[in-house]
Each structure stands twice: as C-alpha cells, then as structure tokens.
Amino acid sequence: MSDKLNLAGLSTEASSNHDNLEKKTVLEILKGINDEDKTVPYAIGKVLPQIEVLVEKAVERMQKGGRLFYIGAGTSGRLGIVDASECPPTYGVPHGLVVGIIAGGDSAIRKAVENAEDDAEQAWKDLSVFDVNANDTIIGIAASGRTPYVVGGLKSANENGLLTGCVVCNANSAVAAEAQFPVEVVVGPEYVTGSTRMKSGTAQKLVLNMISTSIMIKLGKVRGNKMVDMQLSNEKLIERGIKMIMHEIEVEYALAQELLKTHGSVRKAVDFYQNNSQ
C-alpha cells in the first residue's frame, strides 16, 4: 500500500469541517479554531482507561529505578522534549529520569530535518546512547500513528524487553499495534486540513501532561497538592516556596524564608520544622 493510500485513511488527514478559510474574518477563524479545540478534552476523556494502565505500568518500572523516554518526530517529538524538560524544575528529579528524543537530533527542535522520521532504525540507535534497560519505559508519540522512526523504535524496544506505550491520534495505527499499552486519542479533522500541530498537538500535550504529572505524584514528588521538590531557580519560585512553607506549617513569612534558605527545598524545610518542633 502506498503512502498516499495510507494517508487517505487517517482521520487527522480528513478534510476540515470548515472551508473557505481565507474568506473568513479573524474572529470567525478564531471561533472556528476554538470550537474544534473544545472537542479535544472530550476525546481524551474517552481514553482515560488507556492512559491509566500505561501510567500504572510505567510507575512500576520507575519505582525499580527505570526511566521514561519519549520518542517522536516533528511536533510530536518537540512535545515530548517539552514535557521531559519540565520535569526536573517542577519536581526536582534528575535530568535523565524523563528524556525526550526527536528524530533528526536536537537540531530538529528548531528546524525540520529532511526524511529523519522515515528512518525506522534510528530511534533505537538514539535510545541505545542512554543504555536503556528492561526497567525503562518508551512512549512513542505520533499524530498519524504511522511514523517509521516511532514504529521502529517501539519494535526494537519490545524485542529488548522494555515497556512500550504510545500517544497517537488515529485509530488502529501501526504505532499503536507496536505499543504494548497504546493511547489512541482520535480528535478528527484539523481546522486547517492535515495540520496536526493543532488539535492533535493539543491532545498530545494534554496527555503527556497527564502521564508525567500522575507518574510524579505516584513517585512521591507532590505533597498534598504542592510541588515540594521543585527547583528554586528564580525569584518567583523562591517566593512560591516560601508561601508553600507558610501554608504547610503555619509560620510567618520571615521564618519560612529562613527555613527555605537554610534547607534548600520546601520538602526539607517542612520536614526539618516538623521533626524539631515537637
């Protein structure tokens, strides 16, 4: 079957529900995009059980010292990198715990690398740099669900005993067939036909938020509803940390500030105070 026939069967490639876009006013365009975007959370809601089982399996591996890897091309790869890069400052985890890998390497983050997504062997080569092992989890991200880079990476990961999942936006795709725990968020046609950085990208971003956030919560990186291990890398975050301490142990601003300065994290400051104020 040719690529043309493959694309013809993808809901993400179907003709938009809107036409004559160039004749619309700016407000009409914005309303149309907004109306389409409203359908995304609903589509995600229908696959929560798929996300649940993937997260639970990943947590099991990560509690044994495993890591989480995202692999993808283009927008999908960039979204994986964004999600991975936000875990260390948000939850205070090492940079190597959640890793985003994009087809074509880091240069592809800013500029598309021609044909990078078509190499079915490269993803496993990219993963092998990290000495991946059976405790690690690989999640392939691909709106179309047919990206060879992702299909090949998941196939090799399966052959080597790793846990595999995916986030795709078409049903019954090659990527989902290769993943042990697929997440298929079918969002339908894009506002601009085939522009999967729109609804598909939004769906992927929301699902990745859910995956990484729920994993971090289950790994103990949240207390109550607070990011107690966040990195204090700027004044805004330091101020947030002080307010967390004030709320958690009911102390005045000056003491909370001193505790944070002395102990370097919200968790350590709160634990020290609670253990020494009995």
Side-chain angles (χ1 to χ4, degrees):
M1 184 178 288
S2 69
D3 283 352
K4 181 178 180 181
L5 290 174
N6 282 336
L7 290 176
L10 302 179
S11 64
T12 52
E13 297 291 331
S15 183
S16 173
N17 297 318
H18 310 262
D19 204 354
N20 300 313
L21 304 185
E22 71 278 13
K23 298 179 181 178
K24 296 182 182 294
T25 66
V26 170
L27 183 57
E28 288 172 335
I29 293 170
L30 297 176
K31 285 182 175 178
I33 294 172
N34 184 235
D35 286 343
E36 292 292 343
D37 285 345
K38 290 175 184 176
T39 68
V40 174
Y42 175 75
I44 292 172
K46 293 194 291 186
V47 299
L48 289 179
Q50 294 180 2
I51 303 172
E52 176 190 22
V53 67
L54 174 56
V55 168
E56 288 179 341
K57 296 296 182 180
V59 168
E60 289 176 8
R61 301 286 182 106
M62 296 180 79
Q63 287 174 333
K64 298 175 183 177
R67 298 162 293 176
L68 173 62
F69 291 86
Y70 297 129
I71 58 172
T75 298
S76 297
R78 295 182 188 101
L79 289 170
I81 290 171
V82 167
D83 193 75
S85 66
E86 291 175 347
C87 288
T90 306
Y91 298 108
V93 297
H95 282 279
L97 186 66
V98 184
V99 179
I101 300 175
I102 187 171
D106 283 357
S107 62
I109 296 172
R110 293 184 178 275
K111 184 178 181 181
V113 176
E114 187 175 358
N115 298 323
E117 72 171 54
D118 297 324
D119 188 341
E121 307 297 325
Q122 189 59 46
W124 184 248
K125 294 177 184 177
D126 294 340
L127 286 165
S128 296
V129 172
F130 295 89
D131 295 323
V132 289
N133 61 73
N135 282 330
D136 294 329
T137 299
I138 313 298
I139 296 180
I141 312 168
S144 67
R146 62 177 296 282
T147 309
Y149 179 85
V150 177
V151 175
L154 293 179
K155 183 176 186 296
S156 295
N158 286 328
E159 291 170 351
N160 286 274
L162 281 71
L163 179 72
T164 58
C166 72
V167 181
V168 298
C169 296
N170 282 289
N172 305 314
S173 69
V175 169
E178 204 60 65
Q180 297 163 28
F181 298 99
V183 176
E184 299 171 290
V185 187
V186 181
V187 296
E190 299 287 358
Y191 183 78
V192 175
T193 299
S195 182
T196 53
R197 73 185 188 90
M198 301 187 78
K199 285 195 302 183
S200 297
T202 299
Q204 291 171 328
K205 178 67 171 86
L206 291 176
V207 172
L208 294 180
N209 282 350
M210 297 170 83
I211 290 172
S212 59
T213 301
S214 54
I215 285 175
M216 291 300 152
I217 291 171
K218 300 309 288 183
L219 291 179
K221 295 300 178 180
V222 172
R223 177 179 288 177
N225 57 18
K226 304 292 194 304
M227 301 177 289
V228 292
D229 293 317
M230 67 178 181
Q231 294 178 358
L232 305 172
S233 56
N234 58 51
E235 291 184 4
K236 178 191 74 175
L237 297 179
I238 292 171
E239 188 67 19
R240 180 185 294 166
I242 293 169
K243 295 296 178 59
M244 287 184 188
I245 295 169
M246 292 173 64
H247 179 270
E248 188 71 18
I249 57 178
E250 298 182 347
V251 297
E252 297 298 322
Y253 183 95
L255 179 54
Q257 184 181 41
E258 182 61 29
L259 285 167
L260 187 60
K261 181 179 179 180
T262 301
H263 299 284
S265 80
V266 174
R267 181 188 296 275
K268 291 178 181 178
V270 170
D271 286 348
F272 174 84
Y273 183 86
Q274 291 178 334
N275 291 332
N276 291 277
S277 61
Q278 302 300 329

